[in-house]
Amino acid sequence: GESVGLHLPTLSVQEGDNSIINCAYSNSASDYFIWYKQESGKGPQFIIDIRSNMDKRQGQRVTVLLNKTVKHLSLQIAATQPGDSAVYFCAENISGGSNYKLTFGKGTLLTVNP
Amino acid sequence: DTEVTQTPKHLVMGMTNKKSLKCEQHMGHRAMYWYKQKAKKPPELMFVYSYEKLSINESVPSRFSPECPNSSLLNLHLHALQPEDSALYLCASSQGQGKYGYTFGSGTRLTVV
């Protein structure tokens, strides 16, 4: 797989390869993180989440890694399929009293070539 | 029901029109959100309602007026919009009170002419 940061907004992989999408979040007080997939013309679709007291969480074909020391989040997609082609956003949740809000990163366009 | 439903899906309005966007959820979520998304950009938070009260307004112009009639419904009233307000408007809900799980609707594609 190939890793990209938020300043490289596109990632192109071959079908069957593993994909790694990276995200640098901004607020050390963020307590919850979510990866979303967004296809053209649709709303963000939940992929996987992780709380700040964890450093790794696995789902079906996806893994999220959290490194709080350097404020870095990554999404790993195993055996990438054409249906995985979409824009992927990381989002960080900040809670404060009764206020909490979800802020999105810039996004990465993943293209899977058959 | 695990969905956030937004209507209409598409809306074209003139700069002198008044229109409303609607959002509905029946998951018992007590926090609801409006986001604005321009093409090739991430969603940007506009408003947060917590227990039917406005808790966050991200310095949104007054031509956008949110309303939360009850815990299941969220409206966004639009008046005297500008062409640059054309965007995808997304509604989301979450369990609130520090609990997690945000669910997004499919959005309303708004075009201001």
Side-chain angles (χ1 to χ4, degrees):
Chain A
E2 178 181 345
S3 64
V4 292
L6 288 178
H7 299 290
L8 298 171
T10 62
L11 173 63
S12 183
V13 301
Q14 292 298 123
E15 182 178 359
D17 286 352
N18 297 331
S19 302
I20 300 175
I21 301 172
N22 295 314
C23 174
Y25 64 93
S26 58
N27 196 321
S28 57
S30 296
D31 56 4
Y32 174 60
F33 304 88
I34 310 174
W35 280 100
Y36 285 98
K37 172 186 180 183
Q38 188 174 28
E39 297 173 283
S40 181
K42 297 184 178 180
Q45 175 189 352
F46 173 91
I47 301 173
I48 191 167
D49 59 0
I50 188 167
R51 301 192 184 192
S52 58
N53 60 354
M54 304 171 68
D55 54 19
K56 180 179 180 179
R57 189 156 190 240
Q58 290 185 288
Q60 187 176 13
R61 283 201 306 120
V62 293
T63 300
V64 56
L65 300 177
L66 174 63
N67 184 331
K68 294 183 290 294
T69 302
V70 295
K71 293 191 288 187
H72 183 268
L73 197 66
S74 70
L75 175 69
Q76 301 177 3
I77 305 175
T80 316
Q81 302 168 0
D84 295 326
S85 295
V87 176
Y88 289 80
F89 292 102
C90 67
E92 57 184 304
N93 177 81
I94 302 170
S95 300
S98 61
N99 293 332
Y100 25 85
K101 62 180 183 179
L102 195 66
T103 303
F104 284 77
K106 294 180 181 177
T108 297
L109 173 62
L110 174 65
T111 302
V112 182
N113 302 307
Chain B
D1 188 350
T2 58
E3 292 186 345
V4 173
T5 302
Q6 290 188 245
T7 56
K9 294 192 182 305
H10 301 276
L11 178 62
V12 179
M13 62 183 291
M15 289 187 283
T16 59
N17 290 161
K18 288 184 180 181
K19 296 287 184 183
S20 297
L21 309 185
K22 298 186 184 299
C23 174
E24 189 168 2
Q25 58 87 16
H26 296 287
M27 294 178 281
H29 288 177
R30 302 312 300 267
M32 297 185 76
Y33 310 79
W34 280 115
Y35 283 82
K36 174 183 178 179
Q37 186 177 25
K38 302 284 277 185
K40 302 188 188 302
K41 297 291 186 182
E44 295 180 344
L45 183 66
M46 300 174 71
F47 302 104
V48 179
Y49 272 83
S50 176
Y51 289 83
E52 297 140 60
K53 295 191 186 305
L54 183 65
S55 61
I56 297 177
N57 176 340
E58 295 283 82
S59 302
V60 179
S62 60
R63 57 186 184 270
F64 295 91
S65 176
E67 179 196 19
C68 189
N70 60 57
S71 60
S72 299
L73 295 174
L74 185 66
N75 299 320
L76 186 62
H77 303 298
L78 314 173
H79 174 54
L81 295 194
Q82 303 298 309
E84 58 264 30
D85 296 321
S86 299
L88 180 68
Y89 287 84
L90 293 162
C91 175
S93 68
S94 73
Q95 297 175 54
Q97 284 291 67
K99 296 180 182 176
Y100 308 113
Y102 292 81
T103 302
F104 279 81
S106 296
T108 294
R109 175 71 60 188
L110 174 67
T111 303
V112 182
V113 297

